[in-house]
Amino acid sequence: MDMDCKEIFWLDELSKEYNDMVGKKCANLGELVKIGLRVPYGFALSVKAYETFMEETGLKEKVSQIVEKEINAGLDVDKEIGRMIEMSAKIREAIEAADMPPGLAGHITEYYAELQKKTDIPDVPCAVRSSGAVSMPGQMETYLNVRGTSEIIRNVKKVWASAFTTRAIVFRIQNKMAISWAPIGIAVIMMIEAKSAGVILTVLPSAGDLDRAIVEGNFGLGESVVSGEITPDSFIIHKNDMCIESRSVAEKTKMVAYADCGTGVQDIPENLKNTTCLDDNEILEIVRIAKDVEKHFGAPQDMEWVIDQRFSFPENIFWVQARGAKYTKKEAGKDEEYVIDLMLQLFRK
């Protein structure tokens, strides 16, 4: 089969060269599998799957008509925010209400059934995550702890619909892009039974210090860390001698955990509030692996890790995201920003 026409891939079929087909997140997860990292089982819906959905449902034309009607009626995209919000809601509702084309629905059903066999978990809970092939304004949505074929399909449509936020539509109009154009893939990956989760950057971003990495985490799922809603535990590690130079164990009161449907914010048990969410072996292994990934991609990395409570160390460390880190380039001989950054980590509350 011509890969450009394929609508769904297993993650282990992918590599970084597939970015334009499935989006950067899915392509990078496939690359991590290829170099031997533990990545949860899963599959990726390609940009072609999105195009099939929009064309076979008639939504490609319908979305364009909705926008053109408003513009012809004198819509000022820079000033009339209320009308823009209403238009975005109308488009998203139309996408979510549309039936999945039978052929595509059948493919998703087959892959999800095979995923249940691979994991030996009936109605295996999954994360349904957007995977943009290009940088797009406005964060598209992620849905966690999704169970059952019908819910997988429903949440796939919700991710596609989230490409039509008000901000994203304004961006397309201002840049004279096709309104229905949204080159996104979707990752459907099994959920991990997270003891803790978080991020690692293989550079100190504000200081541009390439010799150090920072690991941040919290109990439960990683969304509380990624969203910035809580103060996480934080560790700075010198990458050359693998020494933990500073550690800040925060008083953690909330975590994101599984609910009956999806996820929810829960109180952290009293006996865990002031304890570290990672032990030193886990911290250093996370850094060791991230250094290897940095070397493989040839650039500092921003990665998301999860500790699975079902397994023992080091098989308990899983990876669910890898991308190039954004950081300030450090000027030679100037360490002031690093000192400030280090002090903030040490005295963070």
Side-chain angles (χ1 to χ4, degrees), residues 90-148:
K90 186 181 296 185
I91 292 171
R92 295 178 71 168
E93 287 169 6
I95 291 172
E96 292 180 29
D99 290 332
M100 187 70 74
L104 185 52
H107 289 151
I108 295 172
T109 299
E110 290 170 9
Y111 272 77
Y112 184 63
E114 184 62 27
L115 185 60
Q116 293 175 76
K117 292 180 182 177
K118 284 176 179 282
T119 59
D120 197 27
I121 302 174
D123 288 339
V124 55
C126 290
V128 183
R129 298 178 178 270
S130 64
S131 177
V134 297
S135 177
M136 297 183 67
Q139 186 176 353
M140 290 174 284
E141 292 173 14
T142 287
Y143 299 95
L144 303 177
N145 197 25
V146 180
R147 297 171 179 264

Side-chain angles (χ1 to χ4, degrees), residues 181-223:
W181 181 77
I184 58 171
I186 294 179
V188 180
I189 57 176
M190 66 172 285
M191 295 291 293
I192 298 299
E193 292 191 18
K195 179 197 81 171
S196 58
V199 300
I200 175 171
L201 282 82
T202 61
V203 58
L204 297 190
S206 63
D209 188 339
L210 298 171
D211 293 328
R212 291 170 173 82
I214 181 166
V215 177
E216 295 190 329
N218 188 24
F219 292 110
L221 299 169
E223 275 54 40

Side-chain angles (χ1 to χ4, degrees), residues 255-308:
M255 65 180 180
V256 176
Y258 294 139
D260 291 339
C261 179
T263 61
V265 177
Q266 299 180 10
D267 291 332
I268 290 180
E270 195 67 34
N271 64 319
L272 294 179
K273 285 183 178 179
N274 293 291
T275 62
T276 179
C277 69
L278 288 169
D279 64 36
D280 285 4
N281 287 334
E282 290 167 339
I283 294 168
L284 295 177
E285 181 67 2
I286 286 169
V287 175
R288 184 192 68 76
I289 294 171
K291 283 172 57 181
D292 288 344
V293 176
E294 177 184 67
K295 182 177 180 181
H296 177 79
F297 282 106
Q301 293 295 297
D302 176 354
M303 303 178 65
E304 296 178 22
W305 50 266
V306 186
I307 304 296
D308 193 319

Side-chain angles (χ1 to χ4, degrees), residues 18-28 45 47 129-138 140-141 159 163 181-187 321 323:
Y18 285 71
N19 179 79
D20 291 345
M21 294 184 199
V22 296
K24 187 172 289 293
K25 181 177 293 179
C26 293
N28 282 355
L45 275 74
V47 174
R129 298 178 178 270
S130 64
S131 177
V134 297
S135 177
M136 297 183 67
M140 290 174 284
E141 292 173 14
V159 171
W181 181 77
I184 58 171
I186 294 179
Q321 170 86 292
R323 58 191 172 194

Side-chain angles (χ1 to χ4, degrees), residues 9 18 23 31 80 108 112 122 125 139 152 154 297 349:
F9 296 82
Y18 285 71
E31 189 73 13
E80 297 183 271
I108 295 172
Y112 184 63
Q139 186 176 353
I152 294 290
R154 185 174 75 87
F297 282 106
K349 293 183 179 181

